[in-house]
Amino acid sequence: MIFGKLALGDALGAILAHSVRERGLSFSKGRLLSAKDIADLAAAGIEAVMVARPQAGDVGEDAAANALAKAAAGKNVDIAAAFTGRANLFADADGVAVIDRALVDHFNLIDESLTIATLAPFEPVAKGQMMATIK
């Protein structure tokens, strides 16, 4: 993955790495920049944006978040579709959150760009309650 600040003229087809919310524009992180987006950014006086350009073999952040969520989810856990590289896990039934804290801590030490945040182990949960988020 190539990541960096690009002049608008070089950003067509790149993935916006940081949200742009200024001068009347509101583009979310993860947006694939179209010709119209580039024109709107230029009209707003923005000259460069922080982007990512995937390379051959790269896995998109939503696909990666979905895969990690599936690996982390146990019984009675629903996984919401990932967005902007984040997947949320929800209780599928009332019960108790069974969380392996050592495994979560180990995962969080892999790299600062990977994070699992969870409820406390053995915390009571209600159906539909968010139990964890993975980014």
Side-chain angles (χ1 to χ4, degrees):
M1 176 93 41
I2 297 173
F3 181 83
K5 194 170 194 173
L6 285 181
L8 287 183
D10 298 322
L12 180 64
I15 300 166
L16 197 57
H18 298 296
S19 296
V20 174
R21 291 190 192 353
E22 57 182 89
R23 302 178 189 158
L25 292 178
S26 182
F27 291 166
S28 296
K29 169 188 175 282
R31 183 184 189 113
L32 187 65
L33 293 172
S34 68
K36 180 176 181 339
D37 294 339
I38 298 295
D40 290 345
L41 289 163
I46 296 169
E47 298 177 0
V49 287
M50 189 65 74
V51 298
R53 283 200 186 272
Q55 301 295 277
D58 284 349
V59 175
E61 65 180 355
D62 288 345
N66 279 327
L68 292 170
K70 286 178 186 173
K75 288 178 65 176
N76 298 316
V77 176
D78 283 333
I79 303 167
F83 62 98
T84 64
R86 177 181 309 272
N88 295 323
L89 288 75
F90 296 89
D92 188 32
D94 294 345
V96 175
V98 179
I99 295 171
D100 183 337
R101 185 175 183 139
L103 191 58
V104 170
D105 289 345
H106 179 73
F107 179 87
N108 285 333
L109 290 172
I110 293 172
D111 187 272
E112 66 185 24
S113 66
L114 300 173
T115 304
I116 298 179
T118 69
L119 296 175
F122 307 109
E123 185 170 322
V125 295
K127 183 176 181 172
Q129 180 180 351
M130 187 187 301
M131 298 175 60
T133 188
I134 298 177
K135 176 129 176 83

